[in-house]
Amino acid sequence: MSAPAETSTRVYNGSCHCGATQYLVRLTFPPILDINAKSIRIYKCNCSTCTKMNLFHLRPIDPASDFLVLSPNPETDLGDYRTFKKVQSWYFCKECGVRCFGIGGEWETTEVDLDKWKGNEGSEGKTTKAWKLKAGEWKYEHEGKEVVRPSCYLSVNAVTVEPDQEGFSLKEWHEKGWITYVDARHREGGPKVGEPYKWGSY
């Protein structure tokens, strides 16, 4: 049996094009390609929502603990586009139009020590206002019935992570086989590495 791969955890800054939207996401590498494993996921989907919005999904292990919005207030100051069941929010900057992330769940305001959150030593205890997803079950109404999911949903658009940060390289992730392609449009196969499904994109 081969030894388990060494893991590393890094925090990345991300933003929209004009800089009004700022966020932090914490990722633990390498991803495990088993969809049932507790792991980050990096993938592209061929459904109409993802292809039309050109989304490159980057999903941390724990949405409630591994993601912070620093600006603006996502509940009031970002555009909120919802498709189909109208329960997932695909947010976009009202100034430049860039979509940085999408969520299914509820926001809560928090005061957070960013140095401590990033794992930096020597924190001075200074706190910053931020927004995070509420932990626990995600409940919503659909066709008159209550639906209960075990946890909230979060997908960061990987192309909005700032380049030139240590360990962040979409090219390298592709070469390592960490990026998968999913078929949500036809559902004819599971996640795969190498090339997208029909109507998907690299």
Side-chain angles (χ1 to χ4, degrees), residues 11-13 22-26 65-71 110-132:
V11 173
Y12 293 106
N13 301 297
Q22 298 283 336
Y23 67 85
L24 296 173
V25 61
R26 181 164 44 215
S65 299
D66 294 338
F67 182 71
L68 291 174
V69 176
L70 304 181
S71 68
T110 184
E111 291 287 333
V112 60
D113 182 332
L114 292 181
D115 283 329
K116 186 176 181 180
W117 193 89
K118 294 177 182 179
N120 297 335
E121 297 182 359
S123 168
E124 298 179 355
K126 179 181 177 181
T127 61
T128 300
K129 183 179 181 179
W131 291 264
K132 64 185 291 290

Side-chain angles (χ1 to χ4, degrees), residues 42-167:
I42 311 167
Y43 65 95
K44 297 202 79 173
C45 171
N46 68 348
C47 78
S48 62
T49 299
C50 295
T51 54
K52 292 288 186 179
M53 295 186 195
N54 196 27
L55 297 175
F56 198 142
H57 295 274
L58 181 56
R59 296 177 59 183
I61 293 175
D62 185 349
S65 299
D66 294 338
F67 182 71
L68 291 174
V69 176
L70 304 181
S71 68
N73 182 337
E75 294 183 284
T76 59
D77 298 329
L78 288 178
D80 179 358
Y81 176 61
R82 302 189 179 200
T83 63
F84 306 115
K85 296 179 182 179
K86 309 296 183 184
V87 295
Q88 286 179 285
S89 296
W90 299 104
Y91 290 105
F92 59 92
C93 174
K94 293 180 180 179
E95 182 66 27
C96 66
V98 169
R99 302 179 187 276
C100 290
F101 49 83
I103 71 131
E106 297 181 43
W107 294 105
E108 63 181 2
T109 307
T110 184
E111 291 287 333
V112 60
D113 182 332
L114 292 181
D115 283 329
K116 186 176 181 180
W117 193 89
K118 294 177 182 179
N120 297 335
E121 297 182 359
S123 168
E124 298 179 355
K126 179 181 177 181
T127 61
T128 300
K129 183 179 181 179
W131 291 264
K132 64 185 291 290
L133 284 163
K134 288 184 179 180
E137 294 179 336
W138 168 32
K139 299 180 181 180
Y140 59 86
E141 292 287 331
H142 178 60
E143 296 181 346
K145 296 181 181 179
E146 183 181 61
V147 179
V148 181
R149 302 291 187 189
S151 64
C152 53
Y153 169 89
L154 165 72
S155 184
V156 170
N157 194 357
V159 297
T160 66
V161 176
E162 303 295 351
D164 298 326
Q165 297 183 81
E166 182 181 357

